[in-house]
Amino acid sequence: NPVSFRSVAHTNSDFFMLSIENPALLYKTGDQGQMELVYKEEAPGVFYDALTFFNNQYGLAVGDAQGGCLSILRTTDGGQSWIKIPCEELPMGIADEGAYAASNTNIKTIGSKAWMATTAANIYYSEDYGAHWTRFQTPVKSDSIEAYGVYSIDFWNDQQGIAYGGSFVTPTDNSANIALTEDAGQHWKLVAQGANPGYKSCVQYVPGTKGQGLVAIGFTGISYSSDGGLHWTSLSEEPFYTIRFQDTHTAYAAGKGRIAKLE
């Protein structure tokens, strides 16, 4: 079977890629010029969704719930070895809770802090490089059967952030799908209800905009907010899945069969 990779990450010395389904395969660049398998997990229901690094030593991956808790992998040695956090060290899982493997943006790290967004519209939060976690609830609409939940998060700093949701099954539904936090994710407030673009799979703050510029992207097109997410305008109907900014003026977006540079 072909293997589907939806998450990539890097340190200053290595590139990593993580497959989604059973068996989950996590590769890093090896010394011999070949990708080297550094973690493998075989079990029914294994499904990994996102992968990122805090710095050159600490990294995280998140997957759907198994055995009563979210699947969280952690590395402290630059990605040489990965350990799955046992359920007894994590908040109790919600039935069928997972994350959407849509854009590799349901994890965000700043300094030693990390946030992870789930299909149940929860935010898991850690202050110590992913060693310990607490769970906060958002008011974003969630329903795993209808594919609602939080698809993407971003933080401007370690207090101000955005959670973007909706459903790829009913992408025009723009109710209860964008929430903002001002206290590191403990509390969230719905914004732009019924006056936003509906479902998107990726949201990112635009660098150099003091936390006011946001771009949201999906197969439904590209939208922009200049006031921190309160109001949105459509920039393009071009379909993409994910976007990252290099600087204030330059971003790269990836979609089905294409990559674009946006200036």
Side-chain angles (χ1 to χ4, degrees), residues 164-246:
Y164 205 114
S167 166
F168 73 87
V169 180
T170 45
T172 55
D173 182 359
N174 59 0
S175 61
N177 69 324
I178 302 177
L180 302 176
T181 182
E182 298 289 341
D183 60 6
Q186 289 183 65
H187 303 93
W188 295 81
K189 186 179 173 185
L190 288 171
V191 293
Q193 286 201 78
N196 69 61
Y199 165 79
K200 301 290 182 192
S201 56
C202 184
V203 66
Q204 294 283 284
Y205 283 100
V206 182
T209 59
K210 298 180 178 166
Q212 296 304 293
L214 283 159
V215 167
I217 202 165
F219 68 77
T220 53
I222 306 169
S223 295
Y224 177 73
S225 172
S226 60
D227 59 8
L230 302 179
H231 302 89
W232 296 83
T233 54
S234 176
L235 290 184
S236 168
E237 289 183 8
E238 293 286 307
F240 290 98
Y241 295 139
T242 189
I243 185 169
R244 298 291 187 284
F245 281 85
Q246 183 176 315

Side-chain angles (χ1 to χ4, degrees), residues 34-183:
Q34 300 288 323
M35 295 303 286
E36 189 179 292
L37 187 65
V38 288
Y39 181 83
K40 181 178 183 179
E41 187 176 334
E42 280 185 282
V46 166
F47 199 103
Y48 279 91
D49 307 288
L51 170 70
T52 196
F53 278 82
F54 294 87
N55 53 35
N56 292 319
Q57 291 305 116
Y58 291 96
L60 281 178
V62 60
D64 293 358
Q66 274 189 302
C69 71
L70 218 55
S71 296
I72 301 176
L73 303 180
R74 189 166 179 258
T75 182
T76 59
D77 60 7
Q80 303 282 346
S81 61
W82 296 78
I83 291 162
K84 189 169 185 177
I85 300 178
C87 280
E88 52 268 27
E89 294 176 24
L90 290 171
M92 244 336 237
I94 288 156
D96 301 327
E97 186 172 20
Y100 288 111
S103 63
N104 205 38
T105 52
N106 45 33
I107 307 182
K108 174 69 178 182
T109 64
I110 294 178
S112 66
K113 296 178 179 177
W115 299 263
M116 294 189 311
T118 75
T119 57
N122 288 319
I123 302 294
Y124 285 71
Y125 174 62
S126 171
E127 293 186 329
D128 55 6
Y129 296 106
H132 302 90
W133 295 88
T134 49
R135 186 172 62 214
F136 305 130
Q137 213 170 353
T138 78
V140 171
K141 184 175 177 177
S142 69
D143 179 338
S144 61
I145 294 154
E146 298 288 324
Y148 284 92
V150 178
Y151 280 78
S152 180
I153 51 172
D154 198 16
F155 276 76
W156 175 252
N157 53 36
D158 67 2
Q159 299 298 309
Q160 179 190 341
I162 184 168
Y164 205 114
S167 166
F168 73 87
V169 180
T170 45
T172 55
D173 182 359
N174 59 0
S175 61
N177 69 324
I178 302 177
L180 302 176
T181 182
E182 298 289 341
D183 60 6

